[in-house]
Amino acid sequence: MAQQFSVFFLGVTGYIGGSVLVELKNRYPNAQFTALVRNPKDNAAVQALGVQVVQGSHSDLDLIRKLSSESDVVVNCGDSDDLPLTKAILAGLENRAQATPDASKKPILVHTSGTGLLQNERDGAFHSDKIYDDNNIDDIKSIRVEAQHRDVDLEIFSAGKTGLIDPYIIAPATVYGKGRGPVRNLSIQVNNMIRVALRRKEVVQTGPGTNVWNSVHIDDLADLYGLVLDHALSGKDKSTDPFERFYWGSGDEYVWGDITRELARLLYARGVIHSETLKIIKIEEEPILNPTASNSRSVSNRGIALGWRRNGTPLFETLPKEVEWTLAEAEANA
């Protein structure tokens, strides 16, 4: 597309954010991108993508409000749980809408949430027959108020009801695969499991490992962001309820116990753990592995309706590479 518009981007140095930025830059070569970058050492890598850098952190709320007010689109891949940050972004976009009222060109927010919204008991057991469908707004409205990310999401839904801006939320499941961004290119859940195993010399699992999540390849997720922004910019979105602008970034389901057993096999074969036998723990021993102990089940029918197709290598088949990449990271950081 040859559209010219301005984008303020948060989270460019992160795993998801970096890949999403590269995807959007490819889709919109004529758009002007500005990114908030905290660490000056990352400036050059971001600028090499043709992105203007503004130095600052998520606590620089006045700066964030200003940059949001100067942008047609804000993409937040930086933090799913920072309510003051979200309020500053929304205030800036609302200021822009009020200063330049044009119902056909409302400011757009694309915000990153997560399927951690659906987490239940963290005991490693299967607890969830319910699969949440993003094309069913009653499912999305029924998510617990106290759920992870929910306070931020509700603030965004509320802003959408004012009619001043068009906010969209994308909630990824377990993301995997090598990222394409300028700084960080490894994920969290599976890779943290590997990192913990390297530290302890054993693979750990919470409870029986029968708990179920969805997964999504990073390239497929970046494509979903592109499709959602395409839709937002098209002027064809006729939704009247902000909950209709919520998208799960979810693909195939997997069982966490299958992942831990395969990681134990792979890591033992490389001689970096003492045994293939899993160590069964309570999540309090390794809270960094919190998502691996719960259930989270969702289906991305709203994204599929936009034409989203998942083409990435399945999670289980990617595990040997995830081990390789995480071992290389550990060696580089040693």
Side-chain angles (χ1 to χ4, degrees):
M1 292 185 181
Q3 289 168 279
Q4 294 185 346
F5 56 93
S6 55
V7 181
F8 174 40
F9 202 101
L10 298 96
V12 64
T13 61
Y15 171 62
I16 292 176
S19 289
V20 169
L21 178 69
V22 169
E23 175 68 24
L24 298 184
K25 282 283 292 177
N26 289 339
R27 282 177 180 257
Y28 299 106
N30 295 318
Q32 297 177 325
F33 286 81
T34 300
L36 188 74
V37 178
R38 180 181 58 82
N39 196 326
K41 74 178 179 62
D42 295 327
N43 288 358
V46 176
Q47 289 166 336
L49 298 175
V51 175
Q52 179 183 347
V53 167
V54 174
Q55 216 76 62
S57 73
H58 291 172
S59 61
D60 294 322
L61 299 181
D62 289 340
L63 174 63
I64 288 165
R65 190 178 299 109
K66 176 178 181 292
L67 292 169
S68 298
S69 73
E70 296 170 350
S71 304
D72 298 310
V73 176
V74 175
V75 179
N76 180 16
C77 294
D79 198 312
S80 303
D81 299 303
D82 191 329
L83 188 57
L85 167 68
T86 303
K87 288 182 175 181
I89 292 169
L90 293 171
L93 289 173
E94 288 170 352
N95 288 344
R96 181 177 184 82
Q98 291 165 338
T100 56
D102 184 345
S104 67
K105 295 183 180 179
K106 294 179 187 178
I108 294 166
L109 170 63
V110 180
H111 172 79
T112 305
S113 182
T115 65
L117 283 160
L118 306 179
Q119 290 187 92
N120 49 26
E121 292 85 350
R122 292 171 171 84
D123 59 4
F126 179 78
H127 290 290
S128 183
D129 288 320
K130 171 68 176 174
I131 299 175
Y132 287 77
D133 182 350
D134 56 8
N135 213 26
N136 181 344
I137 62 172
D138 289 335
D139 274 5
I140 308 308
K141 288 180 177 181
S142 72
I143 295 170
R144 296 175 300 119
V145 173
E146 64 272 18
Q148 184 183 17
H149 315 316
R150 189 60 167 172
D151 58 339
V152 170
D153 289 0
L154 290 174
E155 188 74 21
I156 294 169
F157 290 134
S158 179
K161 292 177 181 177
T162 67
L164 291 172
I165 67 173
D166 284 340
Y168 294 79
I169 297 175
I170 298 175
T174 295
V175 192
Y176 66 94
K178 193 70 171 286
R180 294 180 285 157
V183 181
R184 296 176 184 85
N185 283 306
L186 293 186
S187 190
I188 296 175
Q189 287 102 318
V190 171
N191 304 83
N192 275 347
M193 189 167 276
I194 298 168
R195 294 174 187 120
V196 168
L198 294 177
R199 169 168 52 80
R200 296 177 58 126
K201 306 301 180 187
E202 61 185 356
V203 173
V204 301
Q205 174 180 292
T206 306
T210 51
N211 50 316
V212 175
W213 269 65
N214 297 85
S215 61
V216 61
H217 193 282
I218 184 62
D219 291 342
D220 292 334
L221 179 62
D223 182 54
L224 179 61
Y225 276 80
L227 288 169
V228 169
L229 186 54
D230 287 350
H231 184 56
L233 291 167
S234 71
K236 298 177 182 178
D237 187 348
K238 304 305 180 185
S239 59
T240 57
D241 190 320
F243 287 86
E244 294 178 289
R245 294 179 179 144
F246 181 95
Y247 295 80
W248 296 121
S250 299
D252 295 336
E253 286 193 336
Y254 66 93
V255 177
W256 268 112
D258 294 339
I259 302 299
T260 54
R261 285 187 292 273
E262 180 64 4
L263 288 178
R265 187 187 71 80
L266 292 167
L267 291 167
Y268 182 68
R270 285 177 171 264
V272 294
I273 61 174
H274 296 318
S275 170
E276 285 190 46
T277 302
L278 300 175
K279 174 71 172 181
I280 306 302
I281 65 168
K282 293 185 176 180
I283 195 59
E284 289 77 13
E285 291 184 44
E286 296 289 352
I288 195 173
L289 299 180
N290 236 322
T292 73
S294 62
N295 296 266
S296 176
R297 306 181 72 191
S298 54
V299 60
S300 305
N301 282 326
R302 195 172 294 278
I304 291 169
L306 292 183
W308 189 43
R309 300 293 181 266
R310 299 183 299 275
N311 299 308
T313 304
L315 172 59
F316 199 82
E317 295 176 27
T318 308
L319 292 181
K321 283 292 186 182
E322 298 290 351
V323 167
E324 178 185 325
W325 297 328
T326 310
L327 287 176
E329 173 196 70
E331 185 175 341
N333 293 336

